[in-house]
Amino acid sequence: PREMRQLGEQSLQRGGNFHPRYHAIHQMMTKSTQIRMTRWLALGSLGGLIVLGLAWEMWLAPIRPGGSLLALKVLPLCIPLAGFLKNRMYTYRWVSLMIWLYFIEGVVRAWSDRNGVGQVLALIEVALCLCLFVACAWHVRTRLSQAAAHRNVDNLEASAP
């Protein structure tokens, strides 16, 4: 793979074009980097939401002094951790839908909390939700296009003389 990438880069430097097979392989390599990056962004955002939710409801700005049962809202966020660690695309798909519930909670609390700390924490929650959504959507899109590129490489190799 490294040699093929070097050949493709040399061809581009000379003003040439990639052979379709090398171009598809080069795209797959950059896609695998994107997949790793989006996976870690999703894991980081999810972990941040879990830590933020616990800290917010237990210590930083709880609704009742001493913490509240709203800290249990982070339990559904723990479910996709296993799917993210196993790199299951279905997990990325349903998390990109589920995360909007937390986004809505962040927007409502940023708008309605009278406590300045609670408003800042809500805005952080909104930002983390947006990061998680973008990471999940980008991950799914990249993996689907990588699968299509892989099918194209297989078709090119099968049709080669």
Short mmCIF file of all heavy atoms in Angstrom, two decimals, residues 152-161:
data_model
loop_
_atom_site.label_atom_id
_atom_site.label_comp_id
_atom_site.label_asym_id
_atom_site.label_seq_id
_atom_site.Cartn_x
_atom_site.Cartn_y
_atom_site.Cartn_z
N ASN A 152 -15.37 -0.69 -6.16
CA ASN A 152 -14.84 -0.24 -7.45
C ASN A 152 -13.47 -0.84 -7.73
O ASN A 152 -13.17 -1.22 -8.85
CB ASN A 152 -14.76 1.28 -7.50
CG ASN A 152 -16.14 1.92 -7.57
OD1 ASN A 152 -17.11 1.27 -7.94
ND2 ASN A 152 -16.21 3.19 -7.20
N VAL A 153 -12.62 -0.91 -6.68
CA VAL A 153 -11.30 -1.53 -6.86
C VAL A 153 -11.45 -3.00 -7.22
O VAL A 153 -10.77 -3.50 -8.12
CB VAL A 153 -10.44 -1.36 -5.58
CG1 VAL A 153 -9.21 -2.22 -5.63
CG2 VAL A 153 -10.07 0.09 -5.40
N ASP A 154 -12.34 -3.67 -6.54
CA ASP A 154 -12.56 -5.10 -6.86
C ASP A 154 -13.06 -5.27 -8.29
O ASP A 154 -12.63 -6.19 -8.99
CB ASP A 154 -13.56 -5.71 -5.87
CG ASP A 154 -12.98 -5.85 -4.46
OD1 ASP A 154 -11.74 -5.77 -4.32
OD2 ASP A 154 -13.78 -6.03 -3.52
N ASN A 155 -13.95 -4.38 -8.72
CA ASN A 155 -14.46 -4.45 -10.09
C ASN A 155 -13.37 -4.17 -11.11
O ASN A 155 -13.30 -4.82 -12.15
CB ASN A 155 -15.63 -3.49 -10.29
CG ASN A 155 -16.86 -3.91 -9.53
OD1 ASN A 155 -17.00 -5.07 -9.14
ND2 ASN A 155 -17.75 -2.97 -9.29
N LEU A 156 -12.46 -3.21 -10.81
CA LEU A 156 -11.36 -2.90 -11.72
C LEU A 156 -10.40 -4.07 -11.82
O LEU A 156 -9.90 -4.41 -12.90
CB LEU A 156 -10.61 -1.64 -11.27
CG LEU A 156 -11.31 -0.32 -11.53
CD1 LEU A 156 -10.53 0.81 -10.86
CD2 LEU A 156 -11.40 -0.06 -13.02
N GLU A 157 -10.10 -4.70 -10.67
CA GLU A 157 -9.19 -5.84 -10.69
C GLU A 157 -9.80 -7.02 -11.41
O GLU A 157 -9.10 -7.76 -12.10
CB GLU A 157 -8.80 -6.21 -9.26
CG GLU A 157 -7.88 -5.20 -8.61
CD GLU A 157 -7.57 -5.51 -7.16
OE1 GLU A 157 -8.17 -6.45 -6.61
OE2 GLU A 157 -6.74 -4.79 -6.60
N ALA A 158 -11.09 -7.20 -11.28
CA ALA A 158 -11.76 -8.31 -11.95
C ALA A 158 -11.80 -8.09 -13.47
O ALA A 158 -11.74 -9.05 -14.24
CB ALA A 158 -13.19 -8.48 -11.42
N SER A 159 -11.90 -6.84 -13.90
CA SER A 159 -11.99 -6.56 -15.33
C SER A 159 -10.62 -6.36 -15.99
O SER A 159 -10.54 -6.25 -17.20
CB SER A 159 -12.86 -5.33 -15.57
OG SER A 159 -12.23 -4.20 -15.02
N ALA A 160 -9.54 -6.30 -15.18
CA ALA A 160 -8.20 -6.12 -15.74
C ALA A 160 -7.78 -7.38 -16.50
O ALA A 160 -8.09 -8.50 -16.10
CB ALA A 160 -7.20 -5.81 -14.63
N PRO A 161 -7.04 -7.17 -17.60
CA PRO A 161 -6.62 -8.35 -18.39
C PRO A 161 -5.58 -9.17 -17.70
O PRO A 161 -4.91 -8.93 -16.87
CB PRO A 161 -6.07 -7.73 -19.67
CG PRO A 161 -5.85 -6.29 -19.42
CD PRO A 161 -6.65 -5.93 -18.20
#
